[in-house]
Amino acid sequence: MTILVTGATGNVGGKVLARLHAAGHSVRALTRDPARAHLPAGVEVVGADMGLPDTLPDALDGVHKVFLMSLGHNKRTHDANLVAVARKTGVEHIVQLSTLGVAEVEEENDTPLGLWHRQAEKALTESGLAWTILRPNGFMTHALGWAEAARGDGVVRSPVADLPEALVDPEDIADVAVRALTEPGHEGRTYALTGPEALTARQQVEVLGAVLGRGLRFEQISIEEHRAVMAGLYGEATANGVVAALRKALESGDDFRGRLFPDARRVLGRPARSFRDWAEAHKGDFA
Ligand SMILES: NC(=O)c1ccc[n+]([C@@H]2O[C@H](COP(=O)([O-])OP(=O)(O)OC[C@H]3O[C@@H](n4cnc5c(N)ncnc54)[C@H](OP(=O)(O)O)[C@@H]3O)[C@@H](O)[C@H]2O)c1
């Protein structure tokens, strides 16, 4: 059985790939640039671009299962491209990375970020292929963006101070993805993935400071300043989508981000990793 991993050079896909490879599964990594991809020795690598459907049949040839991820405003078209080709090449089961915000989407009145993910989910669930959808909350790895501040003046800047978020460790997302790809019984399931607690950004900074043994301070910045940083990292369209979702959360006061879900614990048979666990494991990234 061959498993194709998209986003194989990225955060979640890279972890999924490493786990599958270490466990001895036949795994193929998809990347736009095989020459630049640093992947574990022995992994089959295929060059393809999910925005270019003609590049996908070769990548999917002989593949039984897929870990499917794509980014921001490209999500609906890229996921739909891959699903359309997968139907023709005989893929059996796709495990798709979505987002927890989809659960809150109202068609007429929603932020583009939620709609992009919902459209991507529909492309899969209406395809006739077996599917499993992973809907994680915000990733704990966002705190890596605070490393420079932690090494410098110790002031962490974020637009959201007091919105509780049940962040999830991408290691747990990868663990759930591997279970869904390699065990029976996950077809037709949607898993809402959170950590075991909801913390505000202020509280996350406190935890991180305590773990690092360094006095970190939190400073609130405007949403526009945050949007500019996001646009530099991910482009205008994705930054606008993220910021619209953030504004909605702040205005509504009743947001999905603080809710806890038992799915990670149920699938993994152990508690999800906490933000303190994450910070302990990532001390080196802040040194
Ligand atoms: N961040 C959050 O808080 C959060 C919360 C909920 C859900 N999510 C979901 O998680 C996703 C992000 O996952 P991540 O952090 O693992 O992403 P990431 O680390 O940014 O991964 C980027 C990957 O995308 C691949 N890629 C980019 N454009 C591509 C294209 N045109 N064709 C093929 N591959 C392409 C890159 O491969 P190459 O460069 O090697 O081609 C790379 O492996 C989001 O898009 C969202 O759906 C995120």
Side-chain angles (χ1 to χ4, degrees), residues 26-27 45 85-86 110 220 253 286:
S26 165
V27 65
V45 184
V85 176
D110 220 294
Q220 193 161 9
F286 294 85

Side-chain angles (χ1 to χ4, degrees), residues 197-218:
E197 68 201 330
L199 298 178
T200 65
R202 233 186 260 286
Q203 290 169 324
Q204 292 162 43
V205 168
E206 273 170 31
V207 170
L208 186 60
V211 167
L212 298 178
R214 252 177 276 165
L216 299 183
R217 194 161 64 76
F218 183 88

Side-chain angles (χ1 to χ4, degrees), residues 213-233:
R214 252 177 276 165
L216 299 183
R217 194 161 64 76
F218 183 88
E219 189 178 288
Q220 193 161 9
I221 57 170
S222 73
I223 288 197
E224 184 44 42
E225 282 173 274
H226 179 63
R227 200 202 68 79
V229 173
M230 297 289 294
L233 291 172

Side-chain angles (χ1 to χ4, degrees), residues 3-20 27-33 37-40 43-51 56 59-60 66-71 75 78-79 82 95-97 139 170 173-174 177 181:
I3 305 174
L4 178 76
V5 178
T6 67
T9 61
N11 186 9
V12 180
K15 293 173 176 51
V16 173
L17 182 87
R19 282 160 167 74
L20 291 171
V27 65
R28 186 180 297 167
L30 186 150
T31 171
R32 287 166 296 175
D33 189 351
H38 299 290
L39 295 164
V43 167
E44 182 190 356
V45 184
V46 62
D49 187 323
M50 287 166 60
L56 294 173
L60 285 160
V66 177
F67 175 73
L68 175 58
M69 68 78 61
S70 60
L71 293 175
K75 181 140 191 83
H78 286 195
D79 281 21
L82 188 133
V95 176
Q96 182 185 46
L97 184 62
F139 294 179
I173 305 172
L181 288 162

